[in-house]
Amino acid sequence: MQIVLDVFGGDNAPNKILDGGLQAVEACGGFELVLVGNKDIIENYLSDKEYDASRIIIVDAKTVITNDDVPTEAIRKKKDSSLCVAFDYLNNHPEAKAFVSAGSTGAVLTGAVLLLRRIRGINRPGLCPILPTQINGKNVLLIDCGANVEPKPINMEQFAIMGSAYADTMLGVKNPRVGLLSNGTEDKKGNSLNKEVFPLLKKNENINFVGNIEAREMLSGNIDVIVSDGFSGNVALKACEGTALVMFNMIKNGIMSGGIRSKLGYLFLKPVFKQIKKEMDYNDNGGAVFLGLEKIVVKSHGSSKAKTIKNSILQAKEAVDKHVVEKIAGYMQNVL
Amino acid sequence: MQIVLDVFGGDNAPNKILDGGLQAVEACGGFELVLVGNKDIIENYLSDKEYDASRIIIVDAKTVITNDDVPTEAIRKKKDSSLCVAFDYLNNHPEAKAFVSAGSTGAVLTGAVLLLRRIRGINRPGLCPILPTQINGKNVLLIDCGANVEPKPINMEQFAIMGSAYADTMLGVKNPRVGLLSNGTEDKKGNSLNKEVFPLLKKNENINFVGNIEAREMLSGNIDVIVSDGFSGNVALKACEGTALVMFNMIKNGIMSGGIRSKLGYLFLKPVFKQIKKEMDYNDNGGAVFLGLEKIVVKSHGSSKAKTIKNSILQAKEAVDKHVVEKIAGYMQNVL
């Protein structure tokens, strides 16, 4: 199996991306890592590093797509970018099963949709981060969080199916509970899109639909898969992120302005804060999976450092090992 | 000036609602409080209380609209409910300037839209809570957070105008910064509704539009008025609420399972946590204003206790004193 890494995507490219790649190779066997990007720079950086060269393939790509590029244009025009070359490589190498990038989200998603093959029957892939919940060790999936700003009802039904398959396979949750993100829990709540999606989810016997959920319930641990259009999902995700950040800042400010007593308290509670911060920094633990394609695509956060890249690669490896794509494809074959 | 109170709306009605009403009368002069609800029960409850009877008016209403009622039906059929009687009273008494209810949000909003007069030129009122930010003492308005699940672009432009007028008048923010809630900060981001709203806000010279904002920025203190459709606004609001709650639970669980060291730390940091909890529990400080009507309508949280009802009444009084309705009307006259 090969995993393809976009060496030049992300704020900390290429060095931290390469470090993460090498760490993943060191930590886990069973795959070769395909490094895509400027070959000279990559070879130069690797020249004084120790690693198993038999597991590293370098594929040259002269340019980079940045956050300043318009995704659709860049994907069409920058054929020699690390991203486009990586997609080409994935298409031409059946043994290349997965792709990891910390590059521009828009470009990664656009490129994947335009250049990679979708699982038969899937109309639109969905971006699916794994979020923490207040129950220790329990996670929740959100699909979609931004790839499809205005999906059709059938797309959202497919998000539910793909999210369920992912929760089952990767999180080990049997019969995962699927909730539809809405503005209230009652069956009749929602905008007109949600009102069309609700009956589709309700009558689908392959998912465990528990009804509408409010954004209040997202991190409660009472739900396993949150289905949303990409716009509301993005709003929900970022509202959670922002609030967690604000709470940490408030605690910090309170401690700083609270005298010796508060500082002592902080010292005693430091392990607790550290643990919570670790749980809430879900971006560190890997990336969001772009589900619905024939390859596993993991979008790592733009600010990813080596550890995150390593985790994203291992996450991609696990998804391939656990046959996530085949599980989704198998289900879709049943309904086609 | 009269302020009308729905005595039978809310989880803690009627006793805590009445307590809050009396506390408001005690705390602040300059208005009469109109108590709407079952007269016998109200009089019985008040019989052993001390209060200035010259400032209390009781208006009889035999029934109640509950959360189990379908709002539109209930507003049409339950003409003798505390809510419908209150709206009638407001319409027939020019001196009744404001209304406070902790009852069913759907019924309060539906009733206000159907039964109260709107400010000339305003097509749809918007529900506008006042949220805390990480900057101490600084608040942010969110409009709309649920009254209009699928507004038109013109409605959202009016939300921006009304929110600005409210921030200026009530929060004392000159030239309030208005942001459009979207799935990214770039000008071109958004769903098709947002893409129509963006140019309207941009060319409106009466507001200080700073562009699209992500939900991450909501509580940052960098923005004064967040404009949103009611669906996304509701999702954003409840995601913030839910995350704050989850963080408190995580801290609590961490402390409980962390031994004596953590418990000591908690003791030292208790004032800090208390302060943050107070700031994040924005529902305690009053209610969300339903802006765009000829009367000030304050929707207090369903779980409101006496203190919250008192605060909501004082908030309504302040909004009347500061001529919020007239300010919005004045602006609308200019653009009509």
Side-chain angles (χ1 to χ4, degrees):
Chain A
M1 181 210 314
Q2 293 179 349
I3 297 175
V4 179
L5 180 62
D6 174 12
V7 173
F8 282 75
D11 307 340
N12 303 309
N15 294 8
K16 299 293 171 201
I17 310 293
L18 286 169
D19 289 345
L22 295 187
Q23 286 176 21
V25 167
E26 170 95 27
C28 175
F31 72 97
E32 294 169 313
L33 189 65
V34 182
L35 304 173
V36 183
N38 185 306
K39 198 170 184 166
D40 298 337
I41 296 173
I42 294 175
E43 283 180 341
N44 184 42
Y45 189 76
L46 294 186
S47 61
D48 63 348
K49 302 280 181 299
E50 270 188 43
Y51 60 95
D52 180 354
S54 73
R55 291 177 58 201
I56 299 287
I57 299 163
I58 300 173
V59 175
D60 196 30
K62 291 294 178 217
T63 64
V64 184
I65 295 177
T66 69
N67 279 324
D68 298 328
D69 288 309
V70 177
T72 39
E73 271 181 36
I75 290 294
R76 288 212 175 85
K77 291 182 183 162
K78 284 189 166 180
K79 289 291 174 206
D80 58 351
S81 63
S82 58
L83 203 54
C84 288
V85 172
F87 286 132
D88 262 357
Y89 188 94
L90 285 155
N91 279 330
N92 296 326
H93 294 78
E95 67 277 27
K97 300 287 189 195
F99 176 56
V100 172
S101 176
S104 146
T105 307
V108 172
L109 301 189
T110 306
V113 166
L114 293 176
L115 303 176
L116 294 182
R117 277 183 293 273
R118 291 193 294 277
I119 294 172
R120 208 167 113 79
I122 296 290
N123 303 90
R124 302 293 304 258
L127 189 60
C128 180
I130 305 171
L131 307 179
T133 74
Q134 65 182 355
I135 298 172
N136 202 358
K138 190 156 173 30
N139 292 295
V140 58
L141 301 177
L142 170 63
I143 179 167
D144 173 46
C145 78
N148 306 274
V149 168
E150 277 164 305
K152 295 195 171 60
I154 178 75
N155 306 142
M156 287 175 68
E157 186 181 8
Q158 293 180 354
F159 297 161
I161 292 159
M162 296 192 288
S164 296
Y166 197 76
D168 178 352
T169 320
M170 291 285 282
L171 306 183
V173 181
K174 292 299 147 204
N175 208 23
R177 293 160 299 181
V178 176
L180 179 62
L181 187 64
S182 193
N183 59 328
T185 54
E186 300 90 341
D187 287 6
K188 298 282 172 205
K189 280 282 182 179
N191 54 20
S192 49
L193 175 61
N194 268 35
K195 284 175 184 169
E196 286 185 67
V197 175
F198 189 95
L200 294 181
L201 299 186
K202 190 151 180 142
K203 76 165 197 277
N204 190 315
E205 289 170 3
N206 296 282
I207 57 168
N208 176 17
F209 181 53
V210 298
N212 284 327
I213 60 156
E214 292 193 334
R216 256 182 101 86
E217 285 298 305
M218 284 176 68
L219 310 184
S220 66
N222 297 330
I223 210 85
D224 303 302
V225 179
I226 303 162
V227 172
S228 172
D229 69 89
F231 185 85
S232 314
N234 192 277
V235 164
L237 178 69
K238 287 176 181 164
C240 291
E241 284 182 12
T243 307
L245 205 69
V246 160
M247 296 272 295
F248 281 122
N249 286 345
M250 281 175 150
I251 292 170
K252 198 171 129 193
N253 293 343
I255 289 164
M256 295 312 278
S257 63
I260 187 76
R261 187 187 142 109
S262 295
K263 287 178 190 80
L264 255 177
Y266 170 68
L267 223 64
F268 286 143
L269 275 181
K270 211 170 163 181
V272 172
F273 291 138
K274 220 173 156 179
Q275 177 62 21
I276 296 172
K277 213 172 159 88
K278 200 181 147 199
E279 282 170 38
M280 295 305 280
D281 276 351
Y282 68 94
N283 287 319
D284 280 1
N285 303 325
V289 200
F290 197 36
L291 288 175
L293 302 158
E294 286 194 350
K295 312 276 177 169
I296 292 292
V297 172
V298 177
K299 170 64 187 76
S300 207
H301 203 266
S303 62
S304 293
K305 292 181 183 156
K307 190 185 122 201
T308 309
I309 295 295
K310 173 189 135 189
N311 289 338
S312 291
I313 294 170
L314 299 183
Q315 178 188 2
K317 165 93 172 33
E318 189 185 348
V320 176
D321 286 342
K322 290 187 171 167
H323 307 293
V324 167
V325 169
E326 292 77 6
K327 286 230 172 165
I328 296 173
Y331 172 82
M332 291 312 293
Q333 224 159 19
N334 288 340
V335 297
L336 283 174
Chain B
M1 181 209 314
Q2 293 180 350
I3 298 175
V4 179
L5 179 63
D6 173 11
V7 174
F8 282 75
D11 307 340
N12 302 308
N15 295 7
K16 299 294 172 199
I17 311 293
L18 287 169
D19 288 345
L22 295 187
Q23 285 175 21
V25 168
E26 170 94 27
C28 175
F31 72 97
E32 292 168 314
L33 189 65
V34 182
L35 304 173
V36 183
N38 185 306
K39 199 170 183 168
D40 297 337
I41 296 174
I42 294 174
E43 283 180 341
N44 184 42
Y45 188 75
L46 294 186
S47 62
D48 63 347
K49 303 278 182 297
E50 270 187 44
Y51 59 93
D52 180 353
S54 73
R55 290 178 58 201
I56 299 286
I57 299 162
I58 301 173
V59 175
D60 195 31
K62 291 292 177 218
T63 66
V64 184
I65 294 177
T66 70
N67 279 324
D68 298 329
D69 288 309
V70 176
T72 39
E73 270 180 36
I75 289 294
R76 288 210 176 86
K77 291 182 184 163
K78 285 190 165 179
K79 290 291 174 205
D80 57 351
S81 63
S82 58
L83 204 53
C84 288
V85 171
F87 286 132
D88 260 358
Y89 189 94
L90 284 155
N91 279 328
N92 295 326
H93 294 78
E95 68 275 26
K97 300 286 189 195
F99 175 56
V100 172
S101 176
S104 148
T105 307
V108 172
L109 301 188
T110 306
V113 166
L114 293 176
L115 303 176
L116 294 182
R117 276 182 294 273
R118 291 193 294 277
I119 294 172
R120 210 168 111 80
I122 296 289
N123 303 90
R124 303 292 305 257
L127 189 60
C128 181
I130 305 172
L131 307 179
T133 75
Q134 65 183 354
I135 299 173
N136 201 359
K138 189 155 173 32
N139 291 296
V140 58
L141 301 178
L142 170 63
I143 179 168
D144 173 46
C145 78
N148 307 274
V149 168
E150 278 165 304
K152 295 196 169 61
I154 178 75
N155 305 142
M156 287 174 68
E157 187 181 8
Q158 293 179 354
F159 296 162
I161 292 159
M162 295 192 288
S164 296
Y166 197 76
D168 178 354
T169 320
M170 290 285 283
L171 306 183
V173 181
K174 292 297 148 206
N175 208 22
R177 294 159 298 182
V178 175
L180 179 61
L181 187 64
S182 193
N183 60 328
T185 55
E186 300 89 341
D187 287 5
K188 298 282 172 205
K189 280 282 181 179
N191 53 18
S192 49
L193 175 62
N194 268 35
K195 284 176 183 167
E196 286 186 66
V197 175
F198 189 96
L200 294 181
L201 299 186
K202 190 153 179 140
K203 75 165 198 279
N204 189 315
E205 290 170 1
N206 295 280
I207 57 168
N208 175 16
F209 181 53
V210 299
N212 283 327
I213 61 156
E214 292 192 337
R216 255 182 102 85
E217 286 297 305
M218 285 176 68
L219 311 184
S220 67
N222 297 330
I223 209 84
D224 303 303
V225 179
I226 303 161
V227 172
S228 173
D229 68 89
F231 186 85
S232 314
N234 192 277
V235 164
L237 177 69
K238 287 177 182 163
C240 292
E241 284 182 11
T243 307
L245 205 69
V246 160
M247 296 271 297
F248 280 122
N249 286 344
M250 281 175 150
I251 292 170
K252 199 172 127 191
N253 293 342
I255 289 164
M256 296 311 280
S257 63
I260 188 78
R261 188 187 141 109
S262 296
K263 287 180 190 79
L264 254 177
Y266 170 67
L267 222 64
F268 285 143
L269 276 181
K270 213 171 163 182
V272 172
F273 290 138
K274 221 173 155 179
Q275 176 62 22
I276 295 172
K277 214 172 160 89
K278 200 181 147 200
E279 283 172 36
M280 295 305 278
D281 276 350
Y282 67 94
N283 287 318
D284 280 1
N285 304 325
V289 199
F290 197 37
L291 288 175
L293 301 159
E294 286 194 352
K295 312 277 177 168
I296 293 292
V297 173
V298 177
K299 171 63 187 77
S300 207
H301 203 268
S303 62
S304 294
K305 291 182 183 154
K307 190 184 122 201
T308 310
I309 295 295
K310 173 189 136 190
N311 288 339
S312 292
I313 294 170
L314 299 182
Q315 178 188 1
K317 165 95 172 33
E318 190 185 347
V320 175
D321 285 342
K322 291 186 169 169
H323 308 291
V324 167
V325 169
E326 292 77 6
K327 286 228 171 166
I328 297 173
Y331 172 82
M332 291 311 294
Q333 224 159 20
N334 288 339
V335 297
L336 283 174

